[in-house]
Amino acid sequence: MQPSIQLGAFKAANPVAKSFQNLFRLILIARILARHNALFSLEALGAPPSIILILKILAVGVSDKGSSSLRPGQRLACALNDAGPSFIKFGQAMATRSDILGDEFAKDLSDLQDKLPPFETPKACEIIENEFGKPLEKLFSFFEEKPVAAASISQVHFAITTEGAEVAVKILRPGIEKAFKRDLDLMRWIANTIIFVKPDLKRLKPVQSIEALAETVEFEMDLRFEAAAAGEINENFKNDSNFHVPEVDWKRTGRRVLTTERLSGVPLDQREEIIAAGHDPEKVLRKAAEASFMQVFRDGFFHADVHPGNLFVLETGAIGAVDFGIMGRLDLKTRRWLGELLIAFLSRDYRRAAEIHFEAEIIPRDKSVDSFAQACRSIAEPILDLPQNEISIARLLGHLFKITKNFQMEAQPQLLLLQKTMLVAEGTGRKLAPKANMWLLARPLIETWMQESLSPESQIREKIEDIAQSVLRLPSVLDKLEKNATMLSKGYLSLHPETIEALSERSSNKNHKVLSWIVLYALIGTLALIAMS
């Protein structure tokens, strides 16, 4: 494996110098692409043929002969792996963009493994001691020297606390924050350059995609965020015996160190081992499907890194999940849209599938509903006609996102993240129970949730919550009115005299404020009675 790209101590002092720095680093990356016969990626971005030719000449004698037998996506994955941790993350993020890259290319990138050689254990121990200001033996009675996993951002060691609890300890790589900041600056520069050179690509939101990646990385760089995510999802499933999230040891958790309960189980894709442990694979898949439904639809907060290394079947038969560095969120409006869309597709009601997009204002009003319904039929029928166990909702969504160009539907990063998550989950599900389909198992739950979510009672409850939020904001609004009226009356601002008089009367009328509260509370009470009747 080639080392990550380093540029020494050069620092850009101004935008021009920074552009030269980014250009120089881009050339180094391009050379790695050339080495793996992956320069087609720069050609796709519109790089001049003369530049491509020069890079090919520079790569003569260093290109990997074996890469010529690989598919383009596999060659690019190898190049990104050599470019270092930031580009591994970038490749994994791009694996969600089957709307741009196509299914096979996106799948090849999704196989990009976030695995790197571990850093030295003494350095890991030093990071822990610096984080908590204590010797290691004051925190752990046993600390396993060999890490059990090493990825681009961190590595994990098993340990036993001084209280005797078995835990997993995740530690950030030394210097990883600086490396990611440098590479993300480069990616932003490339994204903005792409838009400048090809304005029509702005629709695909390259800058927003990089910012979404930067936000994800920022969360991953502070392990307290991952601890908070684990705590939130743990709380969401605290009464669910079928899905288990490890408890966070907050005393031994900080920005660079995360300590959680250690889980022991069989990886979710190991069908034979799961059967040998006495578990029914289809029942396990049903539990996994139900947990996925709860996260996406009930909570709008889902585990977005669900590869088999992060999911286990515990001795109790429950699904155990670890590694919450990458999480996704969906607001209620998007969840309803997604639920209605899935039901429409599974019912083959393509007209309704099209209408849902227009109602959500995802597609411009000047487009044809009938044409979009026809497009929905064209992508869904080949998938829904497959045997039940081969139906892929993730592929269906991927094809749906591909037709966005014709109908000017904007890409939505959270939905792309969900689609990638679903794709990985489906692949794992097929290994676990080849004759079952996880989304068809979850369909009754989706339908029930949609009925409850769209019921009059639910909508009244939402209105009540909106009014309650307005009530909470009312005092600050009235205070601002009073302050503005005072400023106006003192001549700090100039308005028509009648306006000043009206505002002054309102600010001085305390009964008016009390009356506003009474009216709003009465309205809330009335709606609450209607909702409960």
Side-chain angles (χ1 to χ4, degrees), residues 41 48 73 76 117 201 205 256 260 289 296 315 342 350 356 523:
S41 55
L76 181 57
L201 294 181
K205 298 186 176 181
R256 300 184 62 80
T260 64
V296 172
E315 186 178 353
L342 292 181
Y350 303 118
I356 290 164
L523 183 56

Side-chain angles (χ1 to χ4, degrees), residues 141-420:
S141 61
F142 170 78
F143 189 85
E144 194 165 301
E145 183 173 349
K146 184 178 179 181
V148 294
S152 59
I153 287 179
S154 60
Q155 68 186 36
V156 178
H157 293 256
F158 287 152
I160 299 175
T161 68
T162 51
E163 294 87 0
E166 294 188 351
V167 294
V169 186
K170 176 181 282 192
I171 307 127
L172 283 187
R173 283 185 175 272
I176 194 67
E177 297 97 331
K178 184 178 179 181
F180 265 90
K181 182 182 183 305
R182 178 196 62 207
D183 290 340
L184 286 169
D185 284 344
L186 172 63
M187 292 176 193
R188 289 187 182 98
W189 180 77
I190 293 172
N192 281 296
T193 302
I194 289 171
I195 291 176
F196 180 77
V197 174
K198 290 191 172 184
D200 59 308
L201 294 181
K202 187 175 182 179
R203 178 190 64 85
L204 298 176
K205 298 186 176 181
V207 175
Q208 290 90 329
S209 295
I210 296 301
E211 291 306 326
L213 174 62
E215 184 179 347
T216 298
V217 168
E218 182 182 355
F219 273 79
E220 288 192 82
M221 290 298 177
D222 189 335
L223 295 179
R224 292 171 297 188
F225 285 118
E226 180 175 342
E232 182 176 346
I233 200 168
N234 182 303
E235 188 174 320
N236 290 342
F237 283 87
K238 62 183 176 183
N239 296 320
D240 193 328
S241 60
N242 291 327
F243 189 75
H244 183 75
V245 176
E247 295 283 347
V248 175
D249 183 342
W250 285 101
K251 289 196 306 181
R252 296 173 177 84
T253 292
R255 189 176 66 84
R256 300 184 62 80
V257 180
L258 167 63
T259 304
T260 64
E261 168 193 0
R262 176 180 172 180
L263 297 187
S264 297
V266 183
L268 201 63
D269 63 341
Q270 301 296 315
R271 174 181 167 85
E272 299 305 321
E273 287 81 352
I274 289 171
I275 293 173
H279 305 297
D280 182 340
E282 289 201 17
K283 287 183 179 179
V284 170
L285 181 61
R286 183 180 294 276
K287 292 175 184 177
E290 290 176 353
S292 295
F293 159 79
M294 295 292 186
Q295 291 175 59
V296 172
F297 291 98
R298 183 192 67 185
D299 306 326
F301 185 57
F302 61 92
H303 193 319
D305 194 12
V306 292
H307 63 78
N310 288 341
L311 295 172
F312 306 91
V313 182
L314 307 182
E315 186 178 353
T316 61
I319 306 297
V322 299
D323 195 353
F324 301 94
I326 304 176
M327 304 295 293
R329 285 194 187 273
L330 298 174
D331 60 27
L332 183 58
K333 180 181 178 181
T334 303
R335 283 180 269 158
R336 283 178 174 164
W337 170 82
L338 182 63
E340 280 200 276
L341 182 66
L342 292 181
I343 291 171
F345 271 124
L346 291 173
S347 303
R348 301 193 178 195
D349 186 348
Y350 303 118
R351 173 76 185 188
R352 181 59 191 149
E355 289 172 346
I356 290 164
H357 286 77
F358 285 85
E359 290 169 5
E361 300 180 349
I362 294 175
I363 292 180
R365 290 284 182 184
D366 60 345
K367 300 300 176 181
S368 167
V369 176
D370 292 329
S371 295
F372 191 67
Q374 182 179 353
C376 289
R377 182 185 295 274
S378 72
I379 62 175
E381 285 294 332
I383 292 174
L384 297 177
D385 271 344
L386 293 170
Q388 174 177 308
N389 61 311
E390 295 180 23
I391 293 174
S392 169
I393 299 301
R395 278 184 57 218
L396 194 155
L397 288 178
H399 288 312
L400 179 66
F401 298 149
K402 281 183 189 177
I403 64 174
T404 60
K405 185 174 182 179
N406 295 335
F407 293 90
Q408 297 177 359
M409 188 172 94
E410 291 189 346
Q412 299 183 56
Q414 286 297 311
L415 285 175
L416 293 170
L417 181 61
L418 175 63
Q419 189 259 342
K420 177 207 169 188

